[in-house]
Amino acid sequence: MRAFGRWLMLLVLAAVGLQLFFAVRILAMNWIAPESTSFQRSQAWQILKQQGQLPWRQESVEIKAMSASLQRAVIASEDAAFTQHHGIWWQSLEKAWEKNARAKVQAEKRAQRQPDKPVEVKIVGGSTITQQLAKNLFLSGERTLVRKGQEMVLALTLETLLSKERILEIYLNSVEWGEGVFGAEAAAQHYFRKSAARLNAWEASRLAVMLPRPRYFEKLPQSAYLSRRAETIMARMNDVVLP
């Protein structure tokens, strides 16, 4: 029992130490932008393995060098309650848990019909912009309860140590907008041959709706879905209050 207690104490100390490490890195982001994120490094490795070279576009700019239309469009598309929550939007999270519960029931039914196939249930949904940033900065892409729990802790830490404007700035400078295309400035140059500061409402909306599946939509620039969704986002943009 004593050995078990010592191991338990070591695990607790390691967990606390890890959270302190994350907190120090996040605090430093008030003054120093992250050079890369965990997600970017993972993507860079995959591209390098597949292509033998690394086509990469990224240029960090201050948030005042991004059009207000882009900021509003991204918030309207990804997290309409961004200025209202403290990192986690509990109503959205509750809906995601309900969806996951239904998915688990369906997976168990499939397992009964096909017992030789493993049951796999992915944890999905409910992520705010802050949670997305937390995941991209520090975590892997796996969908598990442990990873989701760590994401929530990091989101709360981000909201405690950084302003909403700084969170949005780092997010917009690091989010993926296509294969090897990261950040608003690179996306604006890649798709519209102009700076992020000069994006109009329509262009901003088209970029915003790509965010859930940027590499997929990069190959479908004339997608009817993109056009319809962009119109919806444009209609919502006027209701968005910037941080």
Side-chain angles (χ1 to χ4, degrees):
M1 289 297 293
R2 289 181 180 178
F4 174 77
R6 285 196 295 270
W7 278 109
L8 183 60
M9 180 61 69
L10 285 173
L11 287 173
V12 170
L13 291 173
V16 172
L18 181 62
Q19 303 315 311
L20 288 174
F21 169 75
F22 286 143
V24 169
R25 289 192 61 184
I26 290 170
L27 182 63
M29 290 178 194
N30 279 292
W31 307 279
I32 305 170
E35 292 185 0
S36 65
T37 68
S38 175
F39 178 77
Q40 287 174 341
R41 292 188 291 273
S42 173
Q43 287 302 106
W45 176 241
Q46 289 184 31
I47 293 171
L48 192 59
K49 281 197 305 181
Q50 292 170 2
Q51 301 184 17
Q53 56 182 347
L54 187 58
W56 199 265
R57 302 182 67 149
Q58 183 177 14
E59 179 184 349
S60 293
V61 297
E62 294 182 2
I63 198 163
K64 62 185 179 182
M66 305 176 197
S67 76
S69 291
L70 179 63
Q71 298 175 50
R72 288 193 174 96
V74 169
I75 292 173
S77 179
E78 293 293 289
D79 184 4
F82 178 65
T83 58
Q84 302 169 34
H85 61 64
H86 299 288
I88 301 169
W89 188 237
W90 296 106
Q91 292 176 345
S92 177
L93 190 63
E94 183 179 354
K95 291 179 182 177
W97 283 116
E98 291 173 356
K99 183 177 180 180
N100 287 323
R102 290 194 297 269
K104 183 178 179 181
V105 170
Q106 291 172 359
E108 289 173 347
K109 289 180 179 178
R110 287 196 302 271
Q112 292 175 358
R113 294 193 300 268
Q114 300 173 310
D116 22 336
K117 288 190 177 181
V119 176
E120 181 180 0
V121 180
K122 294 181 178 179
I123 308 303
V124 299
S127 291
T128 63
I129 282 176
T130 311
Q131 286 176 265
Q132 292 178 48
L133 179 60
K135 179 184 68 175
N136 290 344
L137 282 170
F138 300 115
L139 305 176
S140 70
E142 64 178 346
R143 294 179 176 182
T144 64
L145 286 172
V146 172
R147 204 275 294 157
K148 194 69 177 178
Q150 178 64 84
E151 174 190 299
M152 293 169 68
V153 172
L154 287 170
L156 294 172
T157 306
L158 282 163
E159 292 274 347
T160 300
L161 299 178
L162 302 180
S163 67
K164 286 282 188 181
E165 186 179 62
R166 183 59 170 160
I167 289 170
L168 183 61
E169 180 179 84
I170 296 173
Y171 176 82
L172 289 174
N173 273 314
S174 60
V175 72
E176 183 185 37
W177 253 299
E179 187 173 71
V181 181
F182 287 89
E185 185 65 24
Q189 295 289 351
H190 180 65
Y191 293 105
F192 300 111
R193 302 294 186 266
K194 60 171 64 175
S195 69
R198 296 177 55 232
L199 291 171
N200 60 38
W202 171 251
E203 293 161 344
S205 298
R206 285 296 292 257
L207 287 180
V209 299
M210 292 178 67
L211 286 176
R213 302 177 67 189
R215 280 167 283 161
Y216 173 80
F217 288 123
E218 182 182 24
K219 300 172 183 177
L220 298 170
Q222 306 305 320
S223 165
Y225 168 82
L226 279 180
S227 296
R228 290 194 304 270
R229 180 66 178 161
E231 290 175 0
T232 300
I233 295 305
M234 283 185 68
R236 296 176 181 174
M237 283 169 56
N238 291 333
D239 297 328
V240 172
V241 177
L242 295 180

